[in-house]
Amino acid sequence: MSIEHTPPTHDGETGQNHAERPSADFDRVHSLCEILEPAFEQIENGTPLEDAPLRDKLTELTVLLSELHPADVAAVLESLPPRERNIVWLLVKPEDDGEVLLEVSDAVRETLIESMDKDELLAAVDDLDADELAELADDLPHQVVYEALQTRDEEERAQVKAAMSYEDNQVGAIMDFELVSIRADVACEVVLRYLRRFDSLPDHTDKIFVVDENDVLQGVLPIRKLLVADPEDLVENVMAKDVVRFRAEDDVEEAAQAFERYDLVTAPVVDENKKLIGRITVDEMVDVIREESEADMLNMAGLQEEEDLFAPILDSVKNRWMWLAVNLCTAFLASRVIGAFEGSIEKIVALAALMPIVAGIGGNSGNQTITMIVRAMAMGQLTGMHAGRLLKKEVGVALVNGIIWGTVMGAVSWLLYGSLGIGLVMIAAMTLNLLLAATVGVLIPVVMEKFGRDPALGSSVLITAVTDSGGFLIFLGLATLFLL
């Protein structure tokens, strides 16, 4: 039997009212930063404050930050402009620095690390577990990582290097090396006596891993079964042999889907020989799901990466320029479509008022379709063989919606402008543009994925471009053909 465990500095039970802490604390931090703004330079330089009220406010801010959970401190840092962020970061307890760096977004983490010298960084990562150090390693200076590894024992160095050898999207990059393992040929009472030797178990321990003499995974012993089992029963008679397990090379998104599907708290990670090498936990899977959701939202809006809310102007421009340029080109294309029908618009002024309706409803319908498709892909519910069936279904939905809402707008147009022809063109144009939106809404993410790109990347920009240009072309084309 073996256990490797270093109790964490913060966990779900030691965070002071973490889950219930009111947002008033966050507001108070912002308020105190505003009051202390005149003294920022002195605080940064470490100069004692002579003004007694400001000293009191600084003390209050320091105490308030010391009571916050590292995740809350990270949220505060992300919500502050650079100058205030630096002041708050200076006041955070040094022993919490590593935990906070793990919690903040990549963009903010970069700015915090840049503000720290080598000794501060080494102190920050000193208490981190091997998997946590590996998570930060890519953002830390190479010299800091090298010196941090020298303070670890050989086993921990091997664990950090192993975790760093995997890609960010692989299970091995986020696996936890803290675990409890036992043999199958011991009695449950022996296991209970063994566990009582430790002050605490690794976070999220809901099961104990059962291995043979070569550390090959045999099964798992759920804690709930252990507690009610006959003390004389052998582990092999109580353990579960049908185990959801992962390989270090598996995709983290697929692992997250499995955690959601099977309501897992922890799961073992094995190598190609089925040897137990680590575990993954639900807290990491929640982070994966959240990060993937955020990435999809950013990609659909045409943002290349996560952006610091208070990033320098040039950095934000670099992050946003590409899809703005694409949007500019598509908008120019739409304007040329309208320009090609200037004569028709001059003769029937009503066309200018009605054509945004056709384009707008097409864009909205297309975004609904593309959002559903991207979500289905992220959940692993859509495969290439089903794309054709889904396309037929979405075309059917678009046809029904087009006829219903096209008829409504056609009737309204007839009443407004006294022209049955405009009403009929409105029905046809809205129906055709909704069919176009449905088709493109399915094809864009499918094609993106086929070429190895994120299905959500720029999807909102592309669908709007197609439905705008297509809607104008369909509506103005039909009007020119049948009304002039």
Side-chain angles (χ1 to χ4, degrees):
M1 293 184 288
S2 65
I3 180 171
E4 300 174 4
H5 174 53
T6 303
T9 305
H10 295 273
D11 59 28
E13 296 183 4
T14 59
Q16 302 174 3
N17 297 322
H18 172 48
E20 300 176 359
R21 181 173 297 281
S23 59
D25 281 355
F26 291 2
D27 294 336
R28 187 57 183 160
V29 171
H30 285 258
S31 177
L32 289 170
C33 285
E34 290 181 10
I35 295 172
L36 290 167
E37 186 173 1
F40 277 179
E41 187 172 346
Q42 290 175 268
I43 297 173
E44 287 177 323
N45 295 332
T47 306
L49 300 181
E50 298 178 359
D51 186 284
L54 286 180
R55 276 203 312 271
D56 292 341
K57 296 300 180 184
L58 180 61
T59 301
E60 181 183 350
L61 179 57
T62 304
V63 171
L64 180 56
L65 291 171
S66 69
E67 295 176 349
L68 290 175
H69 189 279
D72 290 332
V73 175
V76 169
L77 291 169
E78 291 173 354
S79 69
L80 290 171
R83 190 81 187 277
E84 288 87 339
R85 181 185 295 161
N86 288 339
I87 296 301
V88 169
W89 185 232
L90 287 173
L91 301 178
V92 173
K93 292 187 298 184
E95 58 267 31
D96 285 348
D97 284 355
E99 296 287 340
V100 174
L101 287 175
L102 286 168
E103 295 288 348
V104 295
S105 64
D106 292 343
V108 173
R109 182 188 301 157
E110 184 179 339
T111 66
L112 297 179
I113 289 176
E114 287 176 354
S115 69
M116 303 171 71
D117 59 33
K118 186 177 72 172
D119 291 338
E120 289 175 325
L121 288 171
L122 287 172
V125 302
D126 185 56
D127 292 330
L128 297 183
D129 296 331
D131 58 302
E132 294 173 331
L133 176 57
E135 183 178 341
L136 285 181
D138 289 340
D139 297 317
L140 297 172
H142 293 305
Q143 185 63 27
V144 170
V145 177
Y146 175 79
E147 293 190 25
L149 287 176
Q150 300 313 304
T151 64
R152 310 286 175 125
D153 57 38
E154 184 176 347
E155 183 179 12
E156 277 196 297
R157 285 199 296 270
Q159 290 173 345
V160 173
K161 291 177 181 178
M164 291 175 60
S165 68
Y166 297 102
E167 299 292 335
D168 290 342
N169 63 342
Q170 292 182 320
V171 166
I174 63 169
M175 66 180 172
D176 186 356
F177 298 101
E178 288 185 319
L179 54 86
V180 184
S181 62
I182 58 174
R183 303 286 185 259
D185 57 354
V186 298
C188 290
E189 176 59 28
V190 175
V191 177
L192 287 170
R193 288 203 307 269
Y194 172 67
L195 295 180
R196 293 191 190 104
R197 293 169 50 194
F198 301 94
D199 294 330
S200 62
L201 295 176
D203 289 345
H204 309 293
T205 298
D206 67 322
K207 58 177 69 79
I208 301 170
F209 302 108
V210 183
V211 297
D212 64 12
E213 62 276 5
N214 297 315
D215 283 334
V216 174
L217 184 68
Q218 303 295 302
V220 297
L221 176 59
I223 296 293
R224 64 181 186 275
K225 281 192 174 182
L226 173 64
L227 294 176
V228 298
D230 187 326
E232 301 301 322
D233 276 347
L234 294 179
V235 168
E236 62 185 354
N237 296 327
V238 181
M239 71 179 188
K241 298 180 181 179
D242 186 14
V243 182
V244 177
R245 67 191 75 190
F246 300 94
R247 293 185 58 183
E249 296 80 11
D250 289 343
D251 186 87
V252 292
E253 290 183 32
E254 294 179 0
Q257 291 165 16
F259 263 68
E260 182 180 12
R261 186 181 309 122
Y262 302 120
D263 295 325
L264 300 175
V265 176
T266 61
V269 181
V270 298
D271 62 13
E272 62 276 5
N273 298 317
K274 298 184 179 180
K275 181 178 178 180
L276 181 67
I277 58 175
R279 64 174 186 151
I280 49 177
T281 57
V282 66
D283 58 330
E284 289 290 350
M285 293 297 98
V286 170
D287 287 342
V288 169
I289 294 171
R290 175 183 55 80
E291 290 168 4
E292 180 60 23
S293 176
E294 290 175 352
D296 284 345
M297 283 196 311
L298 292 171
N299 285 332
M300 290 184 74
L303 292 173
Q304 298 183 61
E305 59 187 22
E306 185 179 12
E307 182 179 304
D308 180 359
L309 189 61
F310 298 99
I313 292 175
L314 287 179
D315 290 348
S316 295
V317 169
K318 291 177 183 177
N319 188 34
R320 305 181 194 186
W321 76 268
M322 185 180 74
W323 285 102
L324 288 177
V326 172
N327 196 35
L328 180 63
C329 293
T330 58
F332 179 76
L333 177 61
S335 73
R336 297 320 304 149
V337 171
I338 296 173
F341 293 95
E342 284 180 359
S344 302
I345 296 173
E346 288 177 359
K347 294 178 181 178
I348 308 177
V349 179
L351 298 182
L354 295 174
M355 63 184 184
I357 298 175
V358 177
I361 195 169
N364 186 44
S365 177
N367 274 312
Q368 290 177 343
T369 299
I370 211 165
T371 300
M372 189 194 68
I373 300 300
V374 169
R375 179 185 178 278
M377 287 180 166
M379 298 291 291
Q381 298 172 345
L382 179 62
T383 60
M385 67 179 66
H386 296 146
R389 290 185 180 179
L390 192 56
L391 178 59
K392 291 179 182 178
K393 178 249 185 180
E394 288 301 311
V395 167
V397 172
L399 182 61
V400 173
N401 278 330
I403 293 173
I404 293 173
W405 298 111
T407 301
V408 171
M409 281 310 304
V412 171
S413 302
W414 181 15
L415 293 174
L416 284 176
Y417 300 104
S419 172
L420 178 60
I422 289 179
L424 293 174
V425 166
M426 198 69 180
I427 295 173
M430 286 185 65
T431 302
L432 290 173
N433 200 30
L434 286 176
L435 290 172
L436 174 64
T439 303
V440 176
V442 173
L443 292 181
I444 286 177
V446 170
V447 172
M448 283 281 202
E449 185 180 53
K450 185 175 182 180
F451 285 95
R453 305 299 299 274
D454 189 330
L457 184 60
S459 58
S460 181
V461 176
L462 293 175
I463 195 70
T464 301
V466 172
T467 53
D468 280 357
S469 300
F472 294 150
L473 180 61
I474 292 169
F475 180 61
L476 296 176
L478 289 175
T480 301
L481 187 60
F482 293 107
L483 301 181
L484 296 178

